[in-house]
């Protein structure tokens, strides 16, 4: 659906009670963009609000609840005295980070482009590969930014195929018939919001098939959550991106690295693709603090190992607590879970009921919004409190429904 700027801002209540900036400040960019895409479906007034005086447990935006590791924080603080300098007069340089990322992934500096979060990478890939005659292919549901940008800003047609209804895995076989003549296929692996993965073998077979059917079509793998994947079948598509023309992998420091507010991400692809992506990059797009923090955290592998172990333990606890109540989740390989609450209530009703207790869970994910709720993984303490709320909310409704 195309949305006029005026209609969009009106939908957000801009000019009535709150500005777009206030909206983003309150709910985050992911929700802002999602709202832009859903605008016309639902009025903003239906969003849950927190009762006064209740402290929020924010498990709605797939953030790392603990933030960056100590080495990253020290790096940011250490750079403050150089805040007056342009990034090219400071160190480390963005080139140093590109070289480090390349080295860690067996590539060369020319294979890496940095972005203001991976959102800049996703947008620039759309700018490079899509046009009104070269469509985008996506699974449904998936992370909304690429399709939102393609459809609403670039006016590019989008073709999608539903995820597997049983496993909620991206159905690569169902996407294949859509790829001929496409500008780009977007695969989020692990997928947001379903939390599932496609195995390394499935991904490399898919790439080979796409290359056969539509050799000029780019394939963008968004691996925002890959650090959290614990299934042995998961493999990053980085080696494919380094060896196959038009295969790209987007990564971010916003999730496991805990730096969503620092805004830094990157893409790995062929030198030619990077040259094309770099044309859209803003001068000095990444800042001194982000570069220093990203370098420090890449050198601190132990911190990520601990974060992944922590997330896995809390994820297991949360999945089990919901299963004990009779609600199954998809096989999560991320820092969020996707849970089937459909026999009791819609995701919107669940979200509103949880918000009354200060627990903020994820938004609607059409076309599965009637049945599935996305819950981000907070700290163990937060999830103990949150699962107590889930018990109250889901039990009270199932009792009411049974009466
Ligand atoms: C799958 C996916 N890709 C990309 C992003 C954007 O992340 P960044 O903060 O790197 O721009 C998100 C954010 O939630 C995401 O879920």
């Amino acid at each position: 659906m195309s949305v006029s700027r005026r209609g969009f801002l009106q939908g957000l209540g801009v000019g009535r009670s709150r500005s777009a900036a206030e909206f983003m400040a309150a709910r985050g960019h992911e929700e802002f963009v999602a709202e832009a895409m859903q605008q016309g479906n639902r009025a903003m007034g239906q969003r849950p609000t927190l009762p006064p005086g209740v402290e929020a447990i924010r498990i709605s935006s797939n953030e790392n609840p603990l933030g960056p590791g100590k080495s990253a924080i020290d790096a940011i603080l250490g750079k403050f005295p150089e805040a007056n300098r342009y990034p090219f007069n400071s160190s480390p340089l963005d080139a140093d980070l590109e070289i480090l990322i390349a080295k860690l992934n067996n590539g060369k500096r020319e294979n890496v482009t940095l972005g203001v979060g991976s959102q800049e990478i996703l947008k620039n890939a759309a700018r490079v590969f899509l046009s009104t005659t070269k469509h985008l292919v996506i699974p449904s549901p998936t992370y909304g930014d690429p399709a939102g940008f393609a459809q609403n800003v670039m006016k590019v047609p989008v073709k999608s195929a539903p995820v597997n209804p049983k496993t909620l895995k991206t159905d690569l076989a169902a996407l294949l018939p859509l790829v001929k003549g496409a500008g780009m296929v977007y695969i989020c692996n692990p997928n947001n919001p379903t939390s599932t993965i496609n195995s390394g073998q499935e991904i490399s077979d898919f790439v080979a098939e796409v290359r056969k059917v539509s050799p000029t079509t780019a394939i963008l793998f968004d691996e925002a959550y890959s650090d959290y994947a614990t299934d042995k079948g998961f493999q990053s598509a980085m080696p494919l991106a380094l060896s196959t023309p038009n295969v790209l992998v987007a990564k971010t420091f916003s999730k496991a690295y805990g730096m969503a507010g620092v805004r830094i991400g990157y893409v790995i692809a062929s030198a030619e693709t990077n040259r094309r992506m770099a044309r859209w990059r803003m001068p000095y797009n990444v800042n001194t603090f982000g570069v220093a923090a990203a370098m420090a955290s890449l050198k601190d592998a132990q911190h990520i190992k601990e974060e992944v172990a922590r997330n896995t333990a809390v994820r297991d606890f949360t999945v089990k607590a919901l299963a004990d109540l009779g609600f199954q989740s998809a096989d999560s390989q991320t820092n969020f879970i996707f849970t089937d609450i459909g026999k009791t209530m819609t995701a919107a009703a669940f979200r509103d009921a949880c918000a009354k207790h200060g627990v903020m869970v994820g938004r609607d994910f059409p076309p599965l919004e009637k049945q599935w709720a996305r819950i981000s993984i907070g700290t163990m303490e937060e999830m103990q409190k949150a699962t107590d709320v889930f018990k109250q909310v889901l039990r009270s409704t199932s009792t009411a429904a049974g009466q």
Side-chain angles (χ1 to χ4, degrees):
M1 171 192 299
S2 95
V3 176
S4 75
R5 180 182 141 79
R6 192 165 175 204
F8 168 47
L9 292 176
Q10 275 170 355
L12 293 174
V14 175
R16 288 205 305 271
S17 56
R18 63 195 320 203
S19 68
E22 280 167 342
F23 177 89
M24 279 194 272
R27 298 202 184 276
H29 185 266
E30 190 203 15
E31 298 219 6
F32 180 79
V33 172
E35 200 60 42
M37 290 176 64
Q38 287 179 20
Q39 212 277 320
N41 300 341
R42 282 199 308 127
M44 277 296 297
Q46 291 167 4
R47 292 241 151 210
T49 45
L50 206 59
V54 173
E55 206 181 311
I57 294 179
R58 286 199 185 280
I59 46 176
S60 55
S61 298
N62 302 344
E63 295 154 338
N64 173 335
L66 299 180
K70 184 177 178 320
S71 52
I73 292 176
D74 288 347
I76 291 172
L77 294 176
K79 283 288 128 192
F80 260 86
E82 288 172 44
N84 59 320
R85 300 288 169 207
Y86 278 105
F88 59 78
N89 280 332
S90 188
S91 79
L93 294 166
D94 55 1
D96 296 320
L97 176 57
E98 288 167 354
I99 290 166
L100 178 61
I101 290 168
K103 196 171 143 209
L104 291 172
N105 292 288
N106 303 317
K108 298 193 177 123
R109 185 188 160 197
E110 66 206 35
N111 298 122
V112 183
T113 302
L114 300 176
V116 180
S118 51
Q119 269 169 26
E120 186 188 5
I121 302 297
L122 305 186
K123 283 193 170 59
N124 288 349
R127 287 172 170 129
V128 168
F129 292 107
L130 301 176
S131 69
T132 47
T133 56
K134 285 185 170 282
H135 63 276
L136 173 67
V137 176
I138 55 162
S140 174
T142 193
Y143 182 58
D145 261 23
F149 185 66
Q151 237 167 354
N152 300 332
V153 180
M154 295 182 72
K155 311 295 174 208
V156 167
V158 177
K159 295 184 184 176
S160 67
V163 297
N164 179 302
K166 282 210 182 85
T167 61
L168 263 59
K169 277 174 55 167
T170 295
D171 189 343
L172 297 170
L175 292 174
L176 260 187
L178 309 178
V179 303
K180 197 163 174 50
M184 186 166 83
V185 184
Y186 170 77
I187 305 287
C188 186
N189 194 33
N191 190 35
N192 179 9
T194 57
S195 79
T196 54
I197 58 156
N198 293 94
S199 72
Q201 188 62 53
E202 288 167 343
I203 292 294
S204 52
D205 290 350
F206 179 72
V207 168
E209 285 301 317
V210 175
R211 301 280 306 156
K212 245 191 259 162
V213 181
S214 193
T216 59
T217 298
I219 311 169
L220 170 58
F221 292 101
D222 182 343
E223 297 188 355
Y225 299 96
S226 60
D227 301 290
Y228 284 121
T230 46
D231 186 321
K232 298 270 180 297
F234 178 82
Q235 275 163 32
S236 169
M238 297 265 184
L240 282 172
L242 291 171
S243 63
T244 322
N246 290 352
V247 173
L248 301 84
V249 173
K251 280 283 292 178
T252 180
F253 289 91
S254 294
K255 305 298 175 182
Y257 289 84
M259 294 197 271
V262 180
R263 310 305 305 130
I264 187 155
Y266 59 94
V267 65
I268 295 225
S270 70
E272 171 56 17
T273 294
N274 271 292
R275 263 192 294 279
R276 296 175 73 192
M277 294 284 287
R279 281 185 212 138
W280 287 99
R281 179 179 171 178
M282 283 279 288
Y284 327 128
N285 61 343
V286 289
N287 64 69
T288 306
F289 311 111
V291 169
M295 287 201 66
S297 53
L298 284 175
K299 290 177 184 166
D300 187 2
Q302 184 58 25
H303 173 252
I304 289 299
K305 221 173 141 190
E306 284 164 14
E307 165 56 15
V308 173
R310 180 203 69 77
N311 179 73
T312 307
V314 186
R315 184 173 73 194
D316 289 349
F317 164 82
T318 312
V319 167
K320 181 171 182 312
L322 283 155
D324 288 347
L325 291 172
F327 300 97
Q328 302 304 321
S329 304
D331 178 17
S332 174
Q333 298 298 315
T334 59
N335 66 339
F336 56 90
I337 61 173
F338 204 47
T339 303
D340 181 356
I341 56 160
K343 66 183 173 206
T344 305
M345 62 203 327
T346 61
F350 178 64
R351 184 170 59 247
D352 289 349
C354 290
K356 289 197 180 116
H357 299 267
V359 175
M360 313 301 274
V361 301
R363 57 187 174 78
D364 276 358
F365 293 96
L368 302 182
E369 79 280 13
K370 296 275 179 287
Q371 202 179 337
W372 295 83
R374 193 188 74 181
I375 301 162
S376 306
I377 300 298
T379 63
M380 183 61 97
E381 197 191 349
E382 284 175 326
M383 297 320 285
Q384 280 161 349
K385 287 185 188 157
T387 48
D388 281 346
V389 168
F390 300 159
K391 263 180 219 158
Q392 284 180 52
V393 164
L394 293 168
R395 270 209 191 121
S396 65
T397 315
S398 34
T399 315
Q403 279 167 358

